[in-house]
Amino acid sequence: TCLRWKLVIDAMFKNKSKVLIATGYPFEMGQITEVIDLINQDSKGFKDDLAGRYGAVGGLVQNVPVICGGENAYSNKFQDGFIIGLPHSTKFQMMEKRFDAASVVLNDSILWVVGGENRSCNLKSTEFISIGQSAPIKGPDLPFSLSGHSIIHINPTCIFIIGGVLNDLTSNKTWIVDPTNNFHIKEGPSLNIARSNHCLLYTSPS
């Protein structure tokens, strides 16, 4: 019976049981990417082509991990991205250097990278990245510059952008973006506390 249930669980979580950890402090360890297998209770590390960096963003695009941008120990911002794979990752160029941006996956196939910091200024620009695409495509500009924010796709008509550094000041504002309506953006409910570089968890309605 235990074996049968194990097979059922393995099948249910076949493509959902692994966690990829990439980049971060300390910088020399940020070059080691590791995968935690929640079913087999295992963690495997491998050195990839990512230079030591932190403040990168990414997502699972067509079931393939994509990592974008970041900053190194010398405060140099990166304009590259990586499609993570074994034994080597595939590198591509982004439209902008981006550190402290945010990203969300649209329809499991496109990574939308939003805002961030380029050199010493925050960005209004966004870009779309997809597997097999020769180069990123320019996305809609935000009506303000933003970095250190969080972003989450709530449903097909709602992407929620929360907090961050807005026009160089830490913000308590949120915004609701409708990707089905030319990425129309409107202001959402305010936070009680202005914050940036925060953690975001979302629980869908039961």
Side-chain angles (χ1 to χ4, degrees):
T1 303
C2 291
L3 177 59
R4 183 179 176 184
W5 274 113
K6 183 180 186 305
L7 293 174
V8 170
I9 292 169
D10 286 356
M12 288 178 60
F13 294 96
K14 180 179 179 182
N15 297 315
K16 301 176 183 178
S17 65
K18 293 181 174 64
V19 179
L20 177 76
I21 300 97
T23 75
Y25 283 116
F27 288 105
E28 61 272 16
M29 291 297 101
Q31 297 180 61
I32 305 297
T33 298
E34 59 181 297
V35 177
I36 300 174
D37 190 327
L38 300 178
I39 289 179
N40 296 319
Q41 297 294 301
D42 193 13
S43 178
K44 298 178 180 178
F46 60 93
K47 189 166 184 177
D48 56 30
D49 300 319
L50 294 167
R53 69 182 71 200
Y54 78 108
V57 296
L60 200 63
V61 181
Q62 296 176 10
N63 287 322
V64 178
V66 178
I67 304 292
C68 299
E71 180 181 85
N72 66 12
Y74 305 100
S75 299
N76 296 321
K77 276 66 174 176
F78 288 103
Q79 194 175 341
D80 55 14
F82 292 84
I83 300 169
I84 302 295
L86 292 174
H88 299 292
S89 300
T90 302
K91 185 176 179 179
F92 61 88
Q93 283 297 111
M94 300 174 64
M95 298 185 72
E96 299 258 15
K97 292 183 177 181
R98 293 187 191 273
F99 161 70
D100 225 3
S103 63
V104 66
V105 178
L106 309 175
N107 300 321
D108 296 322
S109 61
I110 299 173
L111 184 68
W112 186 33
V113 184
V114 179
E117 186 181 324
N118 181 345
R119 299 183 179 87
S120 60
C121 61
N122 290 340
L123 297 168
K124 297 180 179 180
S125 64
T126 73
E127 54 188 285
F128 298 116
I129 295 166
S130 63
I131 304 295
Q133 187 174 280
S134 58
I137 296 172
K138 180 174 174 52
D141 285 344
L142 301 174
F144 39 75
S145 62
L146 191 65
S147 70
H149 49 298
S150 61
I151 185 170
I152 191 164
H153 205 171
I154 302 294
N155 60 49
T157 63
C158 177
I159 295 173
F160 210 26
I161 301 175
I162 300 173
V165 178
L166 170 67
N167 296 327
D168 300 322
L169 294 174
T170 301
S171 173
N172 71 336
K173 294 185 178 296
T174 71
W175 302 270
I176 299 170
V177 181
D178 184 354
T180 67
N181 185 23
N182 295 317
F183 289 82
H184 176 264
I185 186 169
K186 63 182 180 180
E187 191 167 330
S190 297
L191 299 172
N192 292 321
I193 302 170
R195 65 181 75 219
S196 64
N197 302 102
H198 45 282
C199 177
L200 175 64
L201 299 175
Y202 170 66
T203 303
S204 60
S206 56

